[in-house]
Amino acid sequence: MAGETVITVVGNLTADPELRYTQNGLPVANFTIASTPRNFDRAANEWKDGEALFLRASVWREFAEHVAGSLTKGMRVMAQGRLRQRSYQDREGNQRTAIELEVDEIGPSLRYATAQVTRAASTGGAGGGGGQSRPAQQQQVSEEPWSTPGSSTSADAWSTPGSFGDDTPF
C-alpha cells in the first residue's frame, strides 16, 4: 500500500516465537529480531559490533503457525515487512510509542547455514485465508536448529525448481 514503510531486517531471533490465539481463535506469533551491524576497524584491524537493534515482530493466521513451528531462538533470519507505530499507556500512566514489524515474508538466512523446506498443506484460496485450514506437515527437527536432516522423500518437499504447486517458473 502507498505510504507504508517497507523494510528488510537480517538478524537473530532472541527467543522462540510466542504463538498465541486471539479470542476469535486467530493465531498470532510474536518474536524479536536482534540486528547487530558489524564494521571493520582499520586502526585495530578487526571487526567490531555496533549497537544492536531489537525489533519486535508479528505474523498472523496460518503464517504464525508456520513461523512458530519452523524458527527457534538464535536462528539467523531475513524478514521483510511493514513498520507499524503503536501508542499505548504504560502501568505508570505514561504515554509510550512502540515501532513494530508486521512481517510479510521471513525465512532462515543461508549465509552460514543450510535449511530443508517442507511444503505446508494447502488451505485453498490464493491468499491462504478463508476456509478451514489443515495442519501443516511436521518435520522432525533435531536439537540443533541448523542441522541438516536426512534427505526427504516426501512428494511435498520442494526438491526441484518450479515445484511450488503452480505453473509459475522461478
Side-chain angles (χ1 to χ4, degrees):
M1 295 191 179
E4 292 184 327
T5 304
V6 177
I7 66 166
T8 300
V9 176
V10 177
N12 295 69
L13 296 183
T14 62
D16 290 348
E18 302 168 25
L19 181 62
R20 298 186 180 170
Y21 293 86
T22 66
Q23 290 179 349
N24 295 332
L26 282 178
V28 59
N30 296 299
F31 51 94
T32 300
I33 301 171
S35 181
T36 307
R38 291 183 55 102
N39 299 306
F40 189 74
D41 182 347
R42 291 182 189 208
N45 200 30
E46 65 183 12
W47 287 95
K48 295 200 175 181
D49 288 342
E51 189 172 337
L53 167 71
F54 293 91
L55 186 59
R56 286 294 291 170
S58 63
V59 292
W60 290 84
R61 297 180 175 74
E62 188 176 22
F63 188 15
E65 293 172 333
H66 294 176
V67 166
S70 302
L71 303 177
T72 58
K73 177 182 178 176
M75 281 187 168
R76 187 164 183 81
V77 296
M78 296 178 297
Q80 183 177 40
R82 292 160 281 126
L83 287 180
R84 296 283 189 223
Q85 181 172 303
R86 180 175 58 88
S87 296
Y88 64 96
Q89 205 171 62
D90 67 13
R91 293 179 182 166
E92 289 80 37
N94 300 316
Q95 194 66 21
R96 301 284 185 185
T97 301
I99 296 178
E100 299 169 338
L101 181 65
E102 190 173 308
V103 176
D104 293 322
E105 297 286 341
I106 189 168
S109 169
L110 301 180
R111 186 170 196 165
Y112 306 111
T114 61
Q116 183 173 346
V117 178
T118 302
R119 186 173 175 178
S122 175
T123 59
Q132 192 70 1
S133 66
R134 293 183 289 176
Q137 288 182 343
Q138 295 298 313
Q139 178 178 347
Q140 189 170 3
V141 179
S142 69
E143 275 192 39
E144 171 58 48
W146 295 113
S147 66
T148 305
S151 63
S152 172
T153 57
S154 168
D156 285 335
W158 292 353
S159 57
T160 58
S163 62
F164 285 92
D166 60 16
D167 295 326
T168 309
F170 285 77

